[in-house]
Structure formats: structure tokens, C-alpha cells
Amino acid sequence: MKLSALLYIAASACVSFTTVLATPCRGDFDFQLQSGDDDLLLANLPSHLGGQATFYRAVTGRERAVVATNYPVGGHPAKPLEIAGDFSPNGAVYVFSDLTQAIKWGDGWSKGLPDPKWYLVTFKYTPITGMKIKSFSSGTAEWKTFVNANYQSGGTSPYDAVEGPVSHGSGSTLAPYLEGGNMVYEAGFMNNGLKSLVVTSVATRTAGGGEWCKGFTGAERSLVSKNYPVGGHPAKPNEQAGNLSPNGAVYVFHDLQQALNWGDSRAKLRESDKTWFLITFKYRPVSGLKTKSFSSGTSEWLAFIKGNYKGGTSQYDIVEGPIEVSGKAYIENGNMIYEAAFMNNGLKALTVTAVTPKVGGGKKWCEGCNIL
């Protein structure tokens, strides 16, 4: 059974076992780089500092020991160490706007360590009066000069917050780091900018830890704290037939982006309240689990799904396989989409590690998918 599969793929870039701050990607890695006039071919990064926003930071390495002091829930982050980085010559709290990037960063800097634990810190950002902000939408000549100067000049940053692309290289080779042909957004907060951030949650994570996630939408939102207590097991689901169980299951993805797509898409369909919750689980097998796996959309897989909608009680604790749409495995970008269902004793194999509120509004995704 493939239940050892990871929810998130660890980033192969910028892995350092001593550095603790989010400084740029440097070293001999196989990155896509963009420089010179070719920068104009890239889509500009949006600004996230003009209004309220949610940001994420991966706390790794030695900073883990002071996570409670530096990132008190309900309070502002502490003043960072005075270490030069992309956007400040004397330290900043660096964050991502994309949850996936923060998780890749945390996993990438923690995988392979004797203790691969790290912390995902979530912030609510609200601009405050008088903030001095500088924004870069791409890797322009001004951006390159600014970033290089922060590593060379020393001194004190005159800004409260700076946003722009993550860098790779240094000096004449400095360029935006590209992932999938796109620049990656980061922001650095310093000085009075620290007061614009409020820590909303600190979640413990483990690099390569066999984690799973679920998009929590609709009427079930009112039961989120009861059904998914952090540190506990998920509650028994409603006895509603689904693809992999005739009498209810907790359905999860092992790909974070799929869970985000699902939650955003389902929340978008509601005209008023578009909030939903991203639930993250830690999976640990327990003895005696009865499991069933489907690696593709076989005739056995389809017959199993059809049988589940006829009623009855599941004889399994965990079932995994591709999502079904119109009698076939759903394909996205040439690949099947994986789901797993946990029921009966399988619920004891899941521990809730984080519950993150989100707001929907993304594009429609996987129309016809029957995921509960």
C-alpha cells in the first residue's frame, strides 16, 4: 500500500543545515534563470501590501528553539536577527504569500536533519499608517541593484516592508528564481512593519512526514473545531455514500495544491460566505488496519465505486485510488488525481496538525468530482 507517500514534495533548492533566516537561493542548483531583457517576458508579481493579506513563514533550524518567543499567537513577531537578506541589510521577517511555497521552504530546509521538525507560522497583515513600503513587481535593474546593495553595504533599512521576487545568484548573476516559469513572491518586514503583522497560528510540521490535507467547506464549517480538534483524531464522518465508502469517510488529498483547488472552487460556488478551512493531518499506520489500494481506473475500481453507492457498511479502514468522474479516472495535466478515504479504525491513524482558515474565490476545479 502506498500510504507512505508524502503530501508535499520537499524543495531541492537552498538546503542548508545551519542558516535559519529566509535568505535567497544561492549555490550550484539546476534553476531556471531569467536575466536582462528576458525579464520582460515574465508575468509581473502582484502587490500584497496595499490591503489586508495572509502571509506564511517557515521557521527552521536554530530559530525553532525560540518560536514561541518570536511568534506569539495573537501578537506581533519579534525583531529579527540583524543578518543581511534580499530586502534588508540588517534583518527582516521574510514571508511568502503562497502557502505552498512556505511549505516547500520548510520541508526543503529540514529534510534529512536528525530532527526534521519545523514550524509554519501564519500572519494576518493589516497596513498601518505611515508605513514606508517599497515594491518590485519583477527582476528589474533597480531590483538587482537594491538586493545586491543589501548584502554589501550594511547599514539600516529605511523601509518598513519590501516585496518582490525571491533572488538567486549574486552580483552580476543575480536574477529572480523561477518555478514553473514564474517568479516566486516574498516580502520582508522590519522596523514599524513588524506591527502590521499579527501571528494567527503556529503549526508544527515534519519534513517528509507523511502528511495529508482536506478542504473543509459548506455546512461542515460550523463543526470544524469539533470534528477536527488539533492534536486529536477526526470525528466519525456522516454516513453518506461516496466513491470509496458506502457509509461515510474522511476524504483527503496528499497534494496540497489539490486541497487548495478543491476548497477555493467549492467556496466560490457560494454567493455569500466564501470561507473554508484547510485541515492538515499527520498519518501514522496503526496495527491491524484493513486497507485497499487502486493504482489506476481499472474495471475493479469502477465496480467498487458503483457498489459503494448501493449502500452497506465499509469493511475497510483506508481506501486509496484515483478520483472518478463520469466512470473514468479524472485526469489533470496528464495525471490522475489521488484521493484516500479514512473510516472505522483508519480514523485513529490520522492526527490533526493544523486547521487554517481560507477564503475561496479560485477558478472552478474538477467539476463532477465527487469528493465529500
mmCIF file of all heavy atoms in Angstrom, residues 272-314:
data_model
loop_
_atom_site.group_PDB
_atom_site.id
_atom_site.type_symbol
_atom_site.label_atom_id
_atom_site.label_comp_id
_atom_site.label_asym_id
_atom_site.label_seq_id
_atom_site.Cartn_x
_atom_site.Cartn_y
_atom_site.Cartn_z
ATOM 1 N N SER A 272 -22.340 34.070 -0.923
ATOM 2 C CA SER A 272 -22.076 34.960 0.205
ATOM 3 C C SER A 272 -20.781 34.589 0.917
ATOM 4 O O SER A 272 -19.710 35.077 0.571
ATOM 5 C CB SER A 272 -23.259 34.938 1.177
ATOM 6 O OG SER A 272 -23.554 33.602 1.572
ATOM 7 N N ASP A 273 -20.869 33.710 1.910
ATOM 8 C CA ASP A 273 -19.700 33.380 2.724
ATOM 9 C C ASP A 273 -18.794 32.406 1.979
ATOM 10 O O ASP A 273 -19.167 31.268 1.717
ATOM 11 C CB ASP A 273 -20.164 32.769 4.048
ATOM 12 C CG ASP A 273 -19.010 32.537 5.004
ATOM 13 O OD1 ASP A 273 -17.864 32.851 4.640
ATOM 14 O OD2 ASP A 273 -19.259 32.046 6.117
ATOM 15 N N LYS A 274 -17.591 32.851 1.643
ATOM 16 C CA LYS A 274 -16.665 32.019 0.875
ATOM 17 C C LYS A 274 -15.534 31.454 1.737
ATOM 18 O O LYS A 274 -14.524 30.995 1.227
ATOM 19 C CB LYS A 274 -16.083 32.826 -0.295
ATOM 20 C CG LYS A 274 -17.145 33.338 -1.265
ATOM 21 C CD LYS A 274 -16.515 34.020 -2.459
ATOM 22 C CE LYS A 274 -17.578 34.633 -3.358
ATOM 23 N NZ LYS A 274 -18.543 33.641 -3.849
ATOM 24 N N THR A 275 -15.696 31.502 3.051
ATOM 25 C CA THR A 275 -14.654 30.955 3.918
ATOM 26 C C THR A 275 -14.679 29.428 3.902
ATOM 27 O O THR A 275 -15.722 28.810 3.719
ATOM 28 C CB THR A 275 -14.833 31.434 5.370
ATOM 29 O OG1 THR A 275 -16.135 31.044 5.841
ATOM 30 C CG2 THR A 275 -14.680 32.938 5.460
ATOM 31 N N TRP A 276 -13.510 28.843 4.089
ATOM 32 C CA TRP A 276 -13.394 27.399 4.240
ATOM 33 C C TRP A 276 -12.150 27.126 5.067
ATOM 34 O O TRP A 276 -11.435 28.050 5.446
ATOM 35 C CB TRP A 276 -13.344 26.690 2.882
ATOM 36 C CG TRP A 276 -12.191 27.031 1.992
ATOM 37 C CD1 TRP A 276 -12.058 28.142 1.206
ATOM 38 C CD2 TRP A 276 -11.005 26.263 1.784
ATOM 39 N NE1 TRP A 276 -10.875 28.118 0.520
ATOM 40 C CE2 TRP A 276 -10.200 26.972 0.852
ATOM 41 C CE3 TRP A 276 -10.540 25.047 2.276
ATOM 42 C CZ2 TRP A 276 -8.959 26.501 0.422
ATOM 43 C CZ3 TRP A 276 -9.309 24.574 1.841
ATOM 44 C CH2 TRP A 276 -8.540 25.297 0.926
ATOM 45 N N PHE A 277 -11.888 25.873 5.387
ATOM 46 C CA PHE A 277 -10.764 25.525 6.248
ATOM 47 C C PHE A 277 -9.899 24.458 5.585
ATOM 48 O O PHE A 277 -10.407 23.489 5.029
ATOM 49 C CB PHE A 277 -11.250 25.009 7.607
ATOM 50 C CG PHE A 277 -11.981 26.035 8.412
ATOM 51 C CD1 PHE A 277 -13.352 26.194 8.271
ATOM 52 C CD2 PHE A 277 -11.309 26.855 9.289
ATOM 53 C CE1 PHE A 277 -14.033 27.145 9.001
ATOM 54 C CE2 PHE A 277 -11.978 27.813 10.025
ATOM 55 C CZ PHE A 277 -13.346 27.962 9.880
ATOM 56 N N LEU A 278 -8.598 24.664 5.665
ATOM 57 C CA LEU A 278 -7.634 23.667 5.206
ATOM 58 C C LEU A 278 -7.200 22.852 6.420
ATOM 59 O O LEU A 278 -6.612 23.391 7.357
ATOM 60 C CB LEU A 278 -6.422 24.340 4.567
ATOM 61 C CG LEU A 278 -5.295 23.404 4.129
ATOM 62 C CD1 LEU A 278 -5.735 22.569 2.940
ATOM 63 C CD2 LEU A 278 -4.037 24.197 3.779
ATOM 64 N N ILE A 279 -7.507 21.566 6.415
ATOM 65 C CA ILE A 279 -7.157 20.678 7.523
ATOM 66 C C ILE A 279 -5.925 19.870 7.122
ATOM 67 O O ILE A 279 -5.900 19.247 6.061
ATOM 68 C CB ILE A 279 -8.302 19.703 7.861
ATOM 69 C CG1 ILE A 279 -9.647 20.434 7.925
ATOM 70 C CG2 ILE A 279 -8.001 18.964 9.160
ATOM 71 C CD1 ILE A 279 -9.747 21.471 8.994
ATOM 72 N N THR A 280 -4.907 19.880 7.959
ATOM 73 C CA THR A 280 -3.696 19.098 7.713
ATOM 74 C C THR A 280 -3.605 17.974 8.736
ATOM 75 O O THR A 280 -3.817 18.202 9.931
ATOM 76 C CB THR A 280 -2.443 19.981 7.805
ATOM 77 O OG1 THR A 280 -2.587 21.102 6.930
ATOM 78 C CG2 THR A 280 -1.197 19.199 7.407
ATOM 79 N N PHE A 281 -3.316 16.773 8.253
ATOM 80 C CA PHE A 281 -3.232 15.598 9.111
ATOM 81 C C PHE A 281 -1.829 15.000 9.072
ATOM 82 O O PHE A 281 -1.156 15.046 8.049
ATOM 83 C CB PHE A 281 -4.191 14.491 8.642
ATOM 84 C CG PHE A 281 -5.631 14.871 8.567
ATOM 85 C CD1 PHE A 281 -6.180 15.315 7.374
ATOM 86 C CD2 PHE A 281 -6.449 14.773 9.674
ATOM 87 C CE1 PHE A 281 -7.516 15.648 7.285
ATOM 88 C CE2 PHE A 281 -7.790 15.100 9.600
ATOM 89 C CZ PHE A 281 -8.325 15.543 8.408
ATOM 90 N N LYS A 282 -1.438 14.401 10.165
ATOM 91 C CA LYS A 282 -0.263 13.532 10.225
ATOM 92 C C LYS A 282 -0.766 12.095 10.198
ATOM 93 O O LYS A 282 -1.625 11.717 10.990
ATOM 94 C CB LYS A 282 0.522 13.790 11.513
ATOM 95 C CG LYS A 282 1.706 12.861 11.730
ATOM 96 C CD LYS A 282 2.903 13.294 10.942
ATOM 97 C CE LYS A 282 4.129 12.462 11.300
ATOM 98 N NZ LYS A 282 5.324 12.916 10.591
ATOM 99 N N TYR A 283 -0.250 11.300 9.280
ATOM 100 C CA TYR A 283 -0.672 9.907 9.160
ATOM 101 C C TYR A 283 0.373 8.970 9.751
ATOM 102 O O TYR A 283 1.549 9.036 9.407
ATOM 103 C CB TYR A 283 -0.903 9.544 7.694
ATOM 104 C CG TYR A 283 -1.045 8.057 7.451
ATOM 105 C CD1 TYR A 283 -2.187 7.377 7.841
ATOM 106 C CD2 TYR A 283 -0.013 7.329 6.864
ATOM 107 C CE1 TYR A 283 -2.317 6.014 7.637
ATOM 108 C CE2 TYR A 283 -0.131 5.971 6.655
ATOM 109 C CZ TYR A 283 -1.288 5.313 7.044
ATOM 110 O OH TYR A 283 -1.400 3.959 6.851
ATOM 111 N N ARG A 284 -0.064 8.108 10.660
ATOM 112 C CA ARG A 284 0.786 7.056 11.219
ATOM 113 C C ARG A 284 -0.018 5.763 11.219
ATOM 114 O O ARG A 284 -1.073 5.689 11.852
ATOM 115 C CB ARG A 284 1.219 7.387 12.647
ATOM 116 C CG ARG A 284 2.270 8.480 12.750
ATOM 117 C CD ARG A 284 2.813 8.567 14.169
ATOM 118 N NE ARG A 284 3.888 9.545 14.291
ATOM 119 C CZ ARG A 284 3.716 10.816 14.587
ATOM 120 N NH1 ARG A 284 2.491 11.272 14.781
ATOM 121 N NH2 ARG A 284 4.736 11.638 14.688
ATOM 122 N N PRO A 285 0.453 4.732 10.519
ATOM 123 C CA PRO A 285 -0.283 3.461 10.480
ATOM 124 C C PRO A 285 -0.455 2.884 11.883
ATOM 125 O O PRO A 285 0.429 3.003 12.733
ATOM 126 C CB PRO A 285 0.617 2.567 9.626
ATOM 127 C CG PRO A 285 1.502 3.500 8.868
ATOM 128 C CD PRO A 285 1.703 4.684 9.751
ATOM 129 N N VAL A 286 -1.604 2.297 12.134
ATOM 130 C CA VAL A 286 -1.838 1.579 13.382
ATOM 131 C C VAL A 286 -1.998 0.101 13.044
ATOM 132 O O VAL A 286 -2.363 -0.258 11.921
ATOM 133 C CB VAL A 286 -3.088 2.118 14.119
ATOM 134 C CG1 VAL A 286 -2.872 3.551 14.550
ATOM 135 C CG2 VAL A 286 -4.327 2.020 13.248
ATOM 136 N N SER A 287 -1.716 -0.747 13.999
ATOM 137 C CA SER A 287 -1.725 -2.186 13.731
ATOM 138 C C SER A 287 -3.128 -2.668 13.381
ATOM 139 O O SER A 287 -4.126 -2.187 13.918
ATOM 140 C CB SER A 287 -1.197 -2.949 14.947
ATOM 141 O OG SER A 287 -2.001 -2.702 16.081
ATOM 142 N N GLY A 288 -3.177 -3.628 12.463
ATOM 143 C CA GLY A 288 -4.433 -4.274 12.119
ATOM 144 C C GLY A 288 -5.299 -3.537 11.123
ATOM 145 O O GLY A 288 -6.452 -3.935 10.902
ATOM 146 N N LEU A 289 -4.787 -2.487 10.498
ATOM 147 C CA LEU A 289 -5.603 -1.739 9.540
ATOM 148 C C LEU A 289 -5.927 -2.605 8.320
ATOM 149 O O LEU A 289 -5.062 -3.288 7.776
ATOM 150 C CB LEU A 289 -4.871 -0.482 9.075
ATOM 151 C CG LEU A 289 -4.782 0.679 10.059
ATOM 152 C CD1 LEU A 289 -3.952 1.809 9.464
ATOM 153 C CD2 LEU A 289 -6.168 1.184 10.430
ATOM 154 N N LYS A 290 -7.172 -2.532 7.880
ATOM 155 C CA LYS A 290 -7.584 -3.227 6.671
ATOM 156 C C LYS A 290 -7.666 -2.192 5.556
ATOM 157 O O LYS A 290 -8.481 -1.265 5.621
ATOM 158 C CB LYS A 290 -8.933 -3.913 6.869
ATOM 159 C CG LYS A 290 -9.282 -4.867 5.729
ATOM 160 C CD LYS A 290 -10.507 -5.709 6.051
ATOM 161 C CE LYS A 290 -10.770 -6.715 4.923
ATOM 162 N NZ LYS A 290 -11.975 -7.541 5.202
ATOM 163 N N THR A 291 -6.811 -2.344 4.555
ATOM 164 C CA THR A 291 -6.689 -1.321 3.521
ATOM 165 C C THR A 291 -6.920 -1.906 2.133
ATOM 166 O O THR A 291 -6.786 -3.111 1.909
ATOM 167 C CB THR A 291 -5.291 -0.679 3.557
ATOM 168 O OG1 THR A 291 -4.307 -1.674 3.241
ATOM 169 C CG2 THR A 291 -4.995 -0.101 4.936
ATOM 170 N N LYS A 292 -7.269 -1.009 1.204
ATOM 171 C CA LYS A 292 -7.433 -1.405 -0.195
ATOM 172 C C LYS A 292 -6.897 -0.281 -1.069
ATOM 173 O O LYS A 292 -7.174 0.896 -0.812
ATOM 174 C CB LYS A 292 -8.895 -1.675 -0.529
ATOM 175 C CG LYS A 292 -9.098 -2.296 -1.920
ATOM 176 C CD LYS A 292 -10.527 -2.751 -2.108
ATOM 177 C CE LYS A 292 -10.712 -3.457 -3.459
ATOM 178 N NZ LYS A 292 -9.941 -4.725 -3.536
ATOM 179 N N SER A 293 -6.132 -0.647 -2.112
ATOM 180 C CA SER A 293 -5.499 0.345 -2.979
ATOM 181 C C SER A 293 -5.844 0.093 -4.442
ATOM 182 O O SER A 293 -5.881 -1.056 -4.895
ATOM 183 C CB SER A 293 -3.972 0.302 -2.822
ATOM 184 O OG SER A 293 -3.586 0.626 -1.511
ATOM 185 N N PHE A 294 -6.097 1.184 -5.164
ATOM 186 C CA PHE A 294 -6.273 1.147 -6.613
ATOM 187 C C PHE A 294 -5.246 2.090 -7.219
ATOM 188 O O PHE A 294 -5.216 3.281 -6.885
ATOM 189 C CB PHE A 294 -7.681 1.598 -7.007
ATOM 190 C CG PHE A 294 -8.785 0.721 -6.491
ATOM 191 C CD1 PHE A 294 -9.497 1.081 -5.352
ATOM 192 C CD2 PHE A 294 -9.109 -0.465 -7.131
ATOM 193 C CE1 PHE A 294 -10.526 0.282 -4.871
ATOM 194 C CE2 PHE A 294 -10.131 -1.276 -6.654
ATOM 195 C CZ PHE A 294 -10.840 -0.908 -5.517
ATOM 196 N N SER A 295 -4.407 1.594 -8.103
ATOM 197 C CA SER A 295 -3.366 2.421 -8.701
ATOM 198 C C SER A 295 -3.823 3.105 -9.983
ATOM 199 O O SER A 295 -3.142 3.999 -10.492
ATOM 200 C CB SER A 295 -2.121 1.583 -8.990
ATOM 201 O OG SER A 295 -2.418 0.534 -9.898
ATOM 202 N N SER A 296 -4.979 2.696 -10.505
ATOM 203 C CA SER A 296 -5.488 3.297 -11.741
ATOM 204 C C SER A 296 -6.985 3.022 -11.848
ATOM 205 O O SER A 296 -7.571 2.327 -11.004
ATOM 206 C CB SER A 296 -4.751 2.740 -12.965
ATOM 207 O OG SER A 296 -4.959 1.338 -13.077
ATOM 208 N N GLY A 297 -7.593 3.560 -12.897
ATOM 209 C CA GLY A 297 -9.034 3.405 -13.082
ATOM 210 C C GLY A 297 -9.397 2.097 -13.750
ATOM 211 O O GLY A 297 -9.897 2.081 -14.881
ATOM 212 N N THR A 298 -9.190 1.002 -13.061
ATOM 213 C CA THR A 298 -9.468 -0.330 -13.604
ATOM 214 C C THR A 298 -10.955 -0.648 -13.528
ATOM 215 O O THR A 298 -11.744 0.063 -12.892
ATOM 216 C CB THR A 298 -8.684 -1.390 -12.823
ATOM 217 O OG1 THR A 298 -9.130 -1.366 -11.453
ATOM 218 C CG2 THR A 298 -7.191 -1.106 -12.863
ATOM 219 N N SER A 299 -11.339 -1.759 -14.147
ATOM 220 C CA SER A 299 -12.735 -2.198 -14.070
ATOM 221 C C SER A 299 -13.100 -2.561 -12.634
ATOM 222 O O SER A 299 -14.234 -2.332 -12.193
ATOM 223 C CB SER A 299 -12.958 -3.394 -15.004
ATOM 224 O OG SER A 299 -12.077 -4.464 -14.687
ATOM 225 N N GLU A 300 -12.149 -3.121 -11.878
ATOM 226 C CA GLU A 300 -12.398 -3.434 -10.470
ATOM 227 C C GLU A 300 -12.651 -2.156 -9.676
ATOM 228 O O GLU A 300 -13.545 -2.099 -8.821
ATOM 229 C CB GLU A 300 -11.206 -4.185 -9.872
ATOM 230 C CG GLU A 300 -11.413 -4.553 -8.400
ATOM 231 C CD GLU A 300 -10.146 -5.025 -7.708
ATOM 232 O OE1 GLU A 300 -9.075 -4.985 -8.340
ATOM 233 O OE2 GLU A 300 -10.234 -5.410 -6.523
ATOM 234 N N TRP A 301 -11.854 -1.140 -9.938
ATOM 235 C CA TRP A 301 -12.012 0.160 -9.270
ATOM 236 C C TRP A 301 -13.397 0.741 -9.532
ATOM 237 O O TRP A 301 -14.087 1.186 -8.610
ATOM 238 C CB TRP A 301 -10.912 1.094 -9.771
ATOM 239 C CG TRP A 301 -11.105 2.560 -9.528
ATOM 240 C CD1 TRP A 301 -10.837 3.249 -8.386
ATOM 241 C CD2 TRP A 301 -11.585 3.528 -10.470
ATOM 242 N NE1 TRP A 301 -11.115 4.587 -8.548
ATOM 243 C CE2 TRP A 301 -11.579 4.782 -9.827
ATOM 244 C CE3 TRP A 301 -12.010 3.451 -11.803
ATOM 245 C CZ2 TRP A 301 -11.989 5.953 -10.466
ATOM 246 C CZ3 TRP A 301 -12.415 4.615 -12.441
ATOM 247 C CH2 TRP A 301 -12.408 5.846 -11.774
ATOM 248 N N LEU A 302 -13.843 0.733 -10.793
ATOM 249 C CA LEU A 302 -15.139 1.304 -11.133
ATOM 250 C C LEU A 302 -16.273 0.495 -10.507
ATOM 251 O O LEU A 302 -17.247 1.070 -9.995
ATOM 252 C CB LEU A 302 -15.305 1.362 -12.649
ATOM 253 C CG LEU A 302 -16.586 2.038 -13.152
ATOM 254 C CD1 LEU A 302 -16.690 3.466 -12.620
ATOM 255 C CD2 LEU A 302 -16.622 2.033 -14.678
ATOM 256 N N ALA A 303 -16.150 -0.829 -10.514
ATOM 257 C CA ALA A 303 -17.178 -1.672 -9.900
ATOM 258 C C ALA A 303 -17.246 -1.420 -8.393
ATOM 259 O O ALA A 303 -18.335 -1.410 -7.797
ATOM 260 C CB ALA A 303 -16.874 -3.144 -10.184
ATOM 261 N N PHE A 304 -16.097 -1.208 -7.770
ATOM 262 C CA PHE A 304 -16.040 -0.920 -6.335
ATOM 263 C C PHE A 304 -16.785 0.377 -6.026
ATOM 264 O O PHE A 304 -17.571 0.455 -5.076
ATOM 265 C CB PHE A 304 -14.577 -0.821 -5.902
ATOM 266 C CG PHE A 304 -14.371 -0.535 -4.444
ATOM 267 C CD1 PHE A 304 -14.421 -1.551 -3.500
ATOM 268 C CD2 PHE A 304 -14.115 0.763 -4.010
ATOM 269 C CE1 PHE A 304 -14.222 -1.281 -2.150
ATOM 270 C CE2 PHE A 304 -13.913 1.040 -2.668
ATOM 271 C CZ PHE A 304 -13.969 0.011 -1.738
ATOM 272 N N ILE A 305 -16.547 1.411 -6.838
ATOM 273 C CA ILE A 305 -17.200 2.703 -6.627
ATOM 274 C C ILE A 305 -18.713 2.574 -6.798
ATOM 275 O O ILE A 305 -19.494 3.059 -5.963
ATOM 276 C CB ILE A 305 -16.626 3.756 -7.596
ATOM 277 C CG1 ILE A 305 -15.189 4.095 -7.200
ATOM 278 C CG2 ILE A 305 -17.493 5.014 -7.612
ATOM 279 C CD1 ILE A 305 -14.484 5.037 -8.156
ATOM 280 N N LYS A 306 -19.141 1.923 -7.861
ATOM 281 C CA LYS A 306 -20.577 1.759 -8.100
ATOM 282 C C LYS A 306 -21.236 0.994 -6.956
ATOM 283 O O LYS A 306 -22.358 1.314 -6.539
ATOM 284 C CB LYS A 306 -20.805 1.039 -9.429
ATOM 285 C CG LYS A 306 -20.458 1.886 -10.652
ATOM 286 C CD LYS A 306 -20.731 1.125 -11.939
ATOM 287 C CE LYS A 306 -20.456 1.990 -13.164
ATOM 288 N NZ LYS A 306 -20.701 1.254 -14.435
ATOM 289 N N GLY A 307 -20.534 -0.003 -6.434
ATOM 290 C CA GLY A 307 -21.075 -0.779 -5.323
ATOM 291 C C GLY A 307 -21.257 0.046 -4.066
ATOM 292 O O GLY A 307 -22.204 -0.172 -3.293
ATOM 293 N N ASN A 308 -20.367 1.018 -3.844
ATOM 294 C CA ASN A 308 -20.460 1.839 -2.640
ATOM 295 C C ASN A 308 -21.712 2.711 -2.630
ATOM 296 O O ASN A 308 -22.242 3.043 -1.564
ATOM 297 C CB ASN A 308 -19.214 2.718 -2.501
ATOM 298 C CG ASN A 308 -18.010 1.928 -2.034
ATOM 299 O OD1 ASN A 308 -18.138 0.959 -1.288
ATOM 300 N ND2 ASN A 308 -16.829 2.327 -2.489
ATOM 301 N N TYR A 309 -22.197 3.088 -3.801
ATOM 302 C CA TYR A 309 -23.389 3.932 -3.861
ATOM 303 C C TYR A 309 -24.683 3.130 -3.709
ATOM 304 O O TYR A 309 -25.771 3.705 -3.695
ATOM 305 C CB TYR A 309 -23.402 4.733 -5.161
ATOM 306 C CG TYR A 309 -22.396 5.864 -5.148
ATOM 307 C CD1 TYR A 309 -21.176 5.736 -5.799
ATOM 308 C CD2 TYR A 309 -22.652 7.043 -4.454
ATOM 309 C CE1 TYR A 309 -20.238 6.757 -5.773
ATOM 310 C CE2 TYR A 309 -21.721 8.071 -4.421
ATOM 311 C CZ TYR A 309 -20.517 7.919 -5.082
ATOM 312 O OH TYR A 309 -19.589 8.932 -5.047
ATOM 313 N N LYS A 310 -24.553 1.822 -3.567
ATOM 314 C CA LYS A 310 -25.726 0.969 -3.353
ATOM 315 C C LYS A 310 -26.013 0.763 -1.871
ATOM 316 O O LYS A 310 -26.991 0.104 -1.509
ATOM 317 C CB LYS A 310 -25.511 -0.382 -4.042
ATOM 318 C CG LYS A 310 -25.428 -0.283 -5.559
ATOM 319 C CD LYS A 310 -25.188 -1.643 -6.191
ATOM 320 C CE LYS A 310 -25.089 -1.530 -7.712
ATOM 321 N NZ LYS A 310 -24.827 -2.846 -8.354
ATOM 322 N N GLY A 311 -25.139 1.316 -1.006
ATOM 323 C CA GLY A 311 -25.368 1.207 0.428
ATOM 324 C C GLY A 311 -24.556 0.103 1.073
ATOM 325 O O GLY A 311 -23.781 -0.598 0.416
ATOM 326 N N GLY A 312 -24.715 -0.027 2.399
ATOM 327 C CA GLY A 312 -23.978 -1.029 3.151
ATOM 328 C C GLY A 312 -22.989 -0.397 4.105
ATOM 329 O O GLY A 312 -23.052 0.807 4.400
ATOM 330 N N THR A 313 -22.047 -1.194 4.594
ATOM 331 C CA THR A 313 -21.030 -0.745 5.548
ATOM 332 C C THR A 313 -19.654 -1.123 5.022
ATOM 333 O O THR A 313 -19.445 -2.259 4.585
ATOM 334 C CB THR A 313 -21.241 -1.396 6.926
ATOM 335 O OG1 THR A 313 -22.546 -1.051 7.409
ATOM 336 C CG2 THR A 313 -20.198 -0.903 7.920
ATOM 337 N N SER A 314 -18.720 -0.197 5.072
ATOM 338 C CA SER A 314 -17.380 -0.475 4.563
ATOM 339 C C SER A 314 -16.667 -1.498 5.441
ATOM 340 O O SER A 314 -16.700 -1.417 6.668
ATOM 341 C CB SER A 314 -16.549 0.810 4.507
ATOM 342 O OG SER A 314 -15.231 0.522 4.070
#
